[in-house]
Amino acid sequence: MAVAGDIGSFTVWDYVVFALMLLISAVIGIYYAFAGGGQKTSTDFLMGGRSMTAVPVALSLTASFMSAVTVLGTPAEVYRFGAMFSIFAISYSFVVLISSEIFLPVFYRLGITSTYEYLELRFNKYVRLIGTILFIIQTILYTGIVIYAPALALNQVTKFDLWGAVVATGVVCTFYCTLGGLKAVVWTDVFQVGIMVAGFSSVIIRAVVVQGGIEPILNDSYYGGRLNFWDFNPNPLQRHSFWTIVIGGTFTWTGIYGVNQAQVQRYIACKTRFHAKMSLYVNLVGLWAILCCAVLSGLAMYSIYKDCDPWTAKFVSAPDQDGNQGKHRVTKRGPALSNPMFTLVTGIVGRWRAVCVTALQRPNSDTAAIRIVVWIAAASFSVKLMPYLSLDILRDYPGLPGLFVACAYSGTLSTVSSSINALAAVTVEDLVKPYFRSLSETKLSWISKGASFFYGAVCIGMAGLASMMGGLLQAALSIFGMVGGPLLGLFSLGILFPFVNSLGAIVGLLVGFTVSLWVGIGSQIYPPLPIRSLPKHLSIEGCNFSTIDTNWTTTALPLVTDLMGDVSERPALADNWYSMSYLYFSTIGTLVAVIVGVVVSLLSGKQT
């Protein structure tokens, strides 16, 4: 049982663990800046000299997949909705099979560096340029918020200056990307995936000990309805079912593993096609392991909090905007809310809550904007649960809370470094080389390093912009994530349909992108009703707490559906087209791009 005030704050060992993670990442970059004579050519810098082997590349691919969203969000997903998320194991299998047998052979055989080079070889330079620009915009926006979010968390935990944290985050990634190139990115990812697995393992092992074994956890999960692996409802409006996860998940992740530059660049850097394929299949084992860790963490969380949900009981409510913190005495799994570690996530959610409250109190508020910020605030609320669990069960083990922060932070570092390296690659290969053909390899190597440094600085600036834009940027980033579907459709047109011409490719891409944005924006303005997501029951019957000397705002965020009725009536499309499972967004974009591309090509004349 936890009592307010008995957890303490970040200890010196927590700081040491976290600092070592950053230091070792930087040292790896320094090592690969000089190992083997340094990065003499652009191929050395961007592709590791095309000499990478399967296992480190596989772990690098896994590290990029395992972002802070996986560490914090997936266990909360399982806790709230059940273990059906584990069906993604089937999706990952199809994704790896499709990527290794359809897309990889084409890219590897061509010996290209940027996936968008293929678009010019297959269609024309304008299709290549459109694909490159979409990727650059999407990745800069995404990487900016990825830098800002952990920096805000670090600020809340250690009281380190927020902008110092933002700059430090960007500088660490930019440092080892600029010095060591792809080899540094891959080997830091190998180290960071070890940190992430260790962080997950510490929570799972401690939870098993606290609950007296794995059997009580599985028993509690079974009787709580969390072992809901199979649901064959074919309704595409249901958020998660066997079909939405297998079909929608396959399209979504194929758009990343099959054609996204950040992933493709690493496995085509392998020294042989066999190593490239093996990197994907070994990575599949890593994906299964991560999924297993995340699902087990979610089930353990439910077993521990089955009688006293900290979310419903408002133990995880955000502090008031004056920064005052009350003192809560909790006798059923309620760690002190004043603990700096716990503010790792509550500070972030507090910002979204403030945006929502301000929007709702404005007399002439735009209802669409209100819906968006409310949806974001409610969606982000659940990510506080995993930090809450780790604080509760690891509080007596100095260094382990720091390991958990390093676990979440490592996911971000690996994602950011991969993005910076990919941005440098497409810039050099798609925007520099085609127009400055006389440049030597030495000059291209320096330009590649300069591009990495430049994009690192741009992403730091984007992180600053993210801090001022608040919740609306989050909505924008989720919309930019829908670029993957139409781009997958574009590459599929080129590889699978030899008669498709350039006009069909461009029109298919643009129409697919438009439709994806339409359904995506609509789903955020009119979020699906709870009947589509099937949330599980959460109990507070076992809670026994008292509140003393409180200046803490314990009013939980209102449910999205509570607010929807007060704003305006939902249109007919809201409960049909806009309520489509989010996993089908990429599927829709891909299929529309392919169908339109094929039809336009047949009408305008086949590719000759």
Side-chain angles (χ1 to χ4, degrees):
M1 293 185 181
V3 178
D6 71 351
I7 299 179
S9 59
F10 228 44
T11 68
V12 64
W13 293 110
D14 296 314
Y15 286 109
V16 168
V17 170
F18 184 73
L20 279 176
M21 184 272 292
L22 292 177
L23 178 62
I24 293 174
S25 297
V27 168
I28 292 173
I30 296 174
Y31 173 78
Y32 280 103
F34 303 102
Q39 314 291 324
K40 295 181 179 179
T41 67
S42 62
T43 301
D44 290 337
F45 185 82
L46 298 175
M47 302 296 290
R50 297 189 187 273
S51 62
M52 305 301 295
T53 54
V55 174
V57 170
L59 293 176
S60 178
L61 293 171
T62 302
S64 296
F65 165 84
M66 191 174 175
S67 66
V69 173
T70 303
V71 175
L72 301 178
T74 304
E77 164 77 23
V78 174
Y79 172 80
R80 190 72 182 92
F81 298 100
M84 187 179 295
F85 202 87
S86 59
I87 300 299
F88 269 102
I90 300 175
S91 302
Y92 300 154
S93 303
F94 286 131
V95 167
V96 168
L97 184 65
I98 293 169
S99 299
S100 63
E101 302 302 329
I102 295 179
F103 294 102
L104 183 152
V106 174
F107 295 142
Y108 197 93
R109 185 173 61 251
L110 291 173
I112 58 179
T113 299
S114 166
T115 56
Y116 304 102
E117 291 180 65
Y118 168 79
L119 296 179
E120 180 172 358
L121 295 173
R122 174 63 177 83
F123 298 114
N124 58 42
K125 62 181 181 180
Y126 302 108
V127 178
R128 176 182 184 178
L129 187 61
I130 292 173
T132 301
I133 291 174
L134 283 176
F135 172 78
I136 290 175
I137 294 174
Q138 174 194 24
T139 306
I140 288 176
L141 287 171
Y142 174 72
T143 307
I145 195 64
V146 165
I147 290 176
Y148 176 70
L152 179 60
L154 185 62
N155 166 258
Q156 295 294 326
V157 172
T158 66
K159 306 305 178 186
F160 185 69
D161 181 72
L162 174 61
W163 295 113
V166 168
V167 173
T169 306
V171 165
V172 168
C173 288
T174 304
F175 178 77
Y176 67 76
C177 285
T178 302
L179 287 180
L182 183 69
K183 285 185 178 179
V185 170
V186 168
W187 285 105
T188 51
D189 284 350
V190 171
F191 164 69
Q192 288 159 3
V193 79
I195 295 294
M196 290 185 278
V197 171
F200 253 142
S201 299
S202 65
V203 173
I204 293 171
I205 293 171
R206 180 57 184 160
V208 169
V209 172
V210 167
Q211 294 304 95
I214 191 67
E215 186 175 350
I217 293 176
L218 295 178
N219 263 345
D220 292 337
S221 300
Y222 175 77
Y223 289 109
R226 262 59 182 184
L227 300 184
N228 55 335
F229 296 107
W230 309 109
D231 182 350
F232 292 96
N233 186 350
N235 188 351
L237 305 184
Q238 184 170 313
R239 181 173 178 268
H240 281 168
S241 70
F242 177 87
W243 303 113
T244 57
I245 292 176
V246 171
I247 298 175
T250 298
F251 275 91
T252 299
W253 286 105
T254 301
I256 296 174
Y257 274 86
V259 302
N260 185 277
Q261 174 67 25
Q263 298 290 79
V264 174
Q265 181 178 343
R266 278 172 287 178
Y267 59 70
I268 63 174
C270 290
K271 58 184 180 181
T272 65
R273 192 163 80 172
F274 173 78
H275 276 271
K277 282 193 174 185
M278 282 301 299
S279 71
L280 281 172
Y281 286 109
V282 174
N283 162 73
L284 177 60
V285 177
L287 295 183
W288 285 341
I290 290 170
L291 187 61
C292 182
C293 288
V295 171
L296 280 176
S297 296
L299 295 179
M301 187 188 302
Y302 174 73
S303 179
I304 292 173
Y305 298 131
K306 64 181 182 299
D307 295 323
C308 184
D309 171 45
W311 187 353
T312 308
K314 303 175 185 177
F315 296 159
V316 292
S317 297
D320 61 38
Q321 297 309 305
D322 295 329
N324 299 320
Q325 295 183 2
K327 299 176 181 178
H328 290 244
R329 181 170 288 117
V330 184
T331 57
K332 183 66 175 177
R333 297 289 174 189
L337 297 180
S338 60
N339 186 284
M341 272 291 293
F342 183 59
T343 57
L344 175 128
V345 179
T346 57
I348 298 175
V349 177
R351 295 176 70 90
W352 304 150
R353 182 177 181 276
V355 173
C356 293
V357 171
T358 302
L360 289 169
Q361 290 176 343
R362 192 175 297 133
N364 297 317
S365 298
D366 178 73
T367 57
I370 292 175
R371 288 191 184 94
I372 290 175
V373 295
V374 170
W375 178 82
I376 293 161
S380 64
F381 202 55
S382 64
V383 300
K384 295 186 289 184
L385 294 173
M386 191 62 180
Y388 186 94
L389 173 68
S390 65
L391 282 175
D392 195 3
I393 64 179
L394 298 176
R395 62 184 182 273
D396 297 326
Y397 299 87
L400 289 188
L403 179 62
F404 178 77
V405 172
C407 167
Y409 206 84
S410 292
T412 298
L413 287 177
S414 63
T415 303
V416 172
S417 61
S418 299
S419 297
I420 290 175
N421 194 256
L423 286 167
V426 298
T427 298
V428 171
E429 296 297 324
D430 299 327
L431 302 180
V432 175
K433 273 189 176 181
Y435 305 100
F436 302 93
R437 299 182 182 276
S438 61
L439 290 174
S440 66
E441 277 298 320
T442 302
K443 289 182 179 178
L444 286 173
S445 176
W446 281 105
I447 292 173
S448 300
K449 295 179 180 179
S452 291
F453 181 83
F454 170 76
Y455 281 118
V458 169
C459 290
I460 293 173
M462 194 63 219
L465 184 60
S467 70
M468 295 181 287
M469 294 183 69
L472 291 177
L473 182 61
Q474 293 287 300
L477 289 177
S478 65
I479 294 171
F480 271 101
M482 297 165 202
V483 173
L487 281 178
L488 175 60
L490 177 63
F491 281 95
S492 298
L493 284 171
I495 294 173
L496 302 178
F497 300 91
F499 60 85
V500 170
N501 58 30
S502 302
L503 178 62
I506 293 177
V507 174
L509 173 64
L510 296 179
V511 174
F513 184 55
T514 301
V515 173
S516 292
L517 287 181
W518 175 28
V519 66
I521 293 173
S523 68
Q524 294 189 63
I525 296 176
Y526 301 101
L529 297 174
I531 192 175
R532 303 301 183 193
S533 58
L534 304 177
K536 300 297 181 181
H537 175 69
L538 298 173
S539 173
I540 56 173
E541 293 178 359
C543 294
N544 181 17
F545 62 91
S546 60
T547 304
I548 60 174
D549 186 27
T550 182
N551 289 314
W552 192 277
T553 302
T554 57
T555 301
L557 281 169
L559 291 175
V560 174
T561 51
D562 293 337
L563 291 167
M564 290 306 98
D566 297 333
V567 175
S568 65
E569 294 183 2
R570 293 165 65 88
L573 284 176
D575 296 324
N576 294 286
W577 178 242
Y578 296 152
S579 291
M580 187 84 65
S581 171
Y582 73 96
L583 290 172
Y584 281 136
F585 292 171
S586 180
T587 307
I588 292 171
T590 301
L591 294 180
V592 169
V594 168
I595 293 171
V596 172
V598 168
V599 171
V600 171
S601 297
L602 291 175
L603 293 176
S604 61
K606 296 181 180 180
Q607 177 81 27
T608 56

